[in-house]
Amino acid sequence: MPPQLSVRTLNRTYLQRQLLLHRSPLSALSAVERLVGLQAQEPDSPYVSLWARLAGFRHADLTALLHGRDVVRAKLHRNTQHLVTAGDFGRLRPLLEPVLKKARQGAFGRAIAGLDPSELTAAGREFMAGDGLTRPQLARRLAERFPGRDRQALVYATQSLVAHVHPPPSGTWGDRGATPIVLAEEWIGRPLETAPRIEDVITRYLAVYGPASVMDVQAWSGLTRLRAVLDGMRSALRTYQDGSGRELFDLPDAALGDPDEPAPVRFLPAFDNLILSHADRTRVIGDEDRARVITGSEVRPTFLVDGFVRGTWSLRDSTLRVRPYRALNPDEAERTGAEAERLLAFLLPPSAARPVGGAVVIEG
């Protein structure tokens, strides 16, 4: 029988690989590549994700990568917005085409029935070329080309068919403006890969999210039917079991974390990958807390105590409010407050005036 791993062993292994046990000296670019992307529905979230993981991270570090086209923002894993390196976009976008197609058909299949996908693709490439355009502008152009069709369906379908990215200022710190759309190949300056290997991506996933089950890999990527792929990789992988008997795959030389190693308090943004990258998320959040954090399409900002989600936080009127789900003991409260102060200093722009006292409020 494969060795059985406890929840705490999985927890410390996960935190270690996610750079959350000790802030890493890696560059922002190396971290985005290591993590195989950062969830980015909220433009500020990737910045906080990197702040929690990297020593000395500054807002300008990621903003420069976006303007320099080293990192791009686009719909990828699970049909959601992510920041990935330009190189990873070129290999992930073709592999995740089935995810985008499934979402397209599920949401607007009837509305675009009868339209030739090749015509939509050609129109999308034409309109997104050059300087690109915003989503409302794309909707108007498509409505003119395909009269009588639902504009929202046309835009959604075309975006899923045509590889595109959202260039800055979209995705940069504090930006909430219109979302521009440009052809991916033109922006990154290279064609997409023609035959990327899903095995290579799974190997990278396991390096930072493993040990993991088939269902975990599928939950992270949005792809299905990966059992046969992982079965074909068995000779190059190691297997474990979790406490429920689920089979977990891992890289043969990947170290496991020490379940007794202390874990620091960490604050994570909305939609952080740590919460969303497994089907079974009990290695970092209990099922009861998961129902509080993930509601509908919302994934709230969280904080970790002893490696596990302990509650949520929010920033309003320059006050950071920390809401524990269970009472913090004095030591936990002190460490949580100190890390919250560091987070507040990162979140507030340099010109913002800190209120006198009460900037961090731990409720309960």
Side-chain angles (χ1 to χ4, degrees):
M1 293 289 290
Q4 186 175 99
L5 302 180
S6 68
V7 172
R8 284 190 68 86
T9 296
L10 288 171
N11 174 268
R12 292 308 194 258
T13 301
Y14 193 24
L15 296 181
Q16 176 178 290
R17 298 183 188 185
Q18 285 281 310
L19 312 177
L20 288 168
L21 280 182
H22 309 279
R23 281 187 165 93
S24 169
L26 284 176
S27 69
L29 180 61
S30 295
V32 174
E33 183 175 35
R34 174 189 173 93
L35 297 168
V36 205
L38 297 168
Q39 191 99 358
Q41 280 98 319
E42 292 292 330
D44 293 350
S45 288
Y47 287 82
V48 180
S49 290
L50 292 175
W51 169 83
R53 291 168 167 87
L54 303 181
F57 173 75
R58 302 170 303 164
H59 301 84
D61 297 337
L62 181 55
T63 300
L65 294 176
L66 287 160
H67 281 283
R69 310 190 184 194
D70 301 291
V71 167
V72 297
R73 182 172 185 251
K75 269 191 178 183
L76 290 168
H77 321 52
R78 304 181 299 279
N79 192 42
T80 56
Q81 293 288 341
H82 275 70
L83 291 190
V84 297
T85 66
D88 274 345
F89 180 88
R91 63 185 61 94
L92 288 169
R93 180 56 171 77
L95 286 171
L96 297 176
E97 173 62 29
V99 178
L100 305 178
K101 180 179 179 181
K102 181 179 180 181
R104 177 176 72 241
Q105 290 303 114
F108 296 106
R110 291 185 178 180
I112 60 173
L115 281 178
D116 185 343
S118 64
E119 292 185 13
L120 274 177
T121 300
R125 292 188 62 83
E126 175 188 340
F127 298 150
M128 295 179 197
D131 294 333
L133 66 182
T134 64
R135 189 173 285 115
Q137 290 170 336
L138 177 60
R140 287 195 294 272
R141 299 289 295 275
L142 289 169
E144 293 169 359
R145 182 69 58 89
F146 303 99
R149 295 281 182 168
D150 179 84
R151 289 190 176 195
Q152 185 179 9
L154 288 173
V155 168
Y156 191 98
T158 302
Q159 287 186 268
S160 70
L161 286 164
V162 180
H164 64 280
V165 300
H166 305 301
S170 175
T172 57
W173 181 262
D175 182 78
R176 295 294 187 278
T179 303
I181 305 168
V182 299
L183 280 179
E185 301 101 309
E186 289 188 357
W187 182 258
I188 66 178
R190 71 191 80 166
L192 307 187
E193 292 190 16
T194 56
R197 286 169 35 89
I198 185 61
E199 292 85 352
D200 295 337
V201 174
I202 290 174
T203 296
R204 290 180 58 197
Y205 168 83
L206 292 176
V208 286
Y209 299 94
S213 70
V214 174
M215 294 300 291
D216 291 332
V217 183
Q218 293 183 166
W220 170 76
S221 64
L223 294 168
T224 58
R225 302 178 181 178
L226 294 181
R227 164 63 67 182
V229 178
L230 278 151
D231 281 342
M233 297 173 66
R234 280 183 182 277
S235 62
L237 299 176
R238 184 175 183 180
T239 59
Y240 299 98
Q241 281 188 347
D242 66 11
S244 300
R246 281 182 286 259
E247 183 178 42
L248 305 176
F249 294 88
D250 201 11
L251 304 183
D253 56 351
L256 297 176
D258 178 354
D260 296 322
E261 181 174 357
V265 172
R266 288 287 185 258
F267 281 79
L268 301 173
F271 300 100
D272 192 88
N273 293 45
L274 191 85
I275 309 296
L276 297 173
S277 297
H278 297 83
D280 176 16
R281 299 165 187 172
T282 54
R283 69 185 64 196
V284 73
I285 183 171
D287 290 335
E288 181 181 352
D289 290 346
R290 175 180 173 177
R292 295 169 169 176
V293 169
I294 304 174
T295 56
S297 60
E298 182 182 6
V299 182
R300 293 188 172 95
T302 59
F303 69 98
L304 312 179
V305 175
D306 190 31
F308 294 87
V309 170
R310 191 64 168 269
T312 58
W313 61 271
S314 62
L315 178 69
R316 184 174 182 179
D317 298 329
S318 298
T319 297
L320 182 65
R321 295 192 175 275
V322 182
R323 300 178 178 88
Y325 291 147
R326 288 165 297 284
L328 302 171
N329 64 40
D331 176 65
E332 291 171 339
E334 181 180 356
R335 291 187 291 113
T336 299
E339 185 68 1
E341 287 284 355
R342 287 187 283 270
L343 173 63
L344 186 61
F346 179 81
L347 294 175
L348 292 178
S351 60
R354 287 284 299 275
V356 178
V360 170
V361 175
I362 300 179
E363 301 182 351

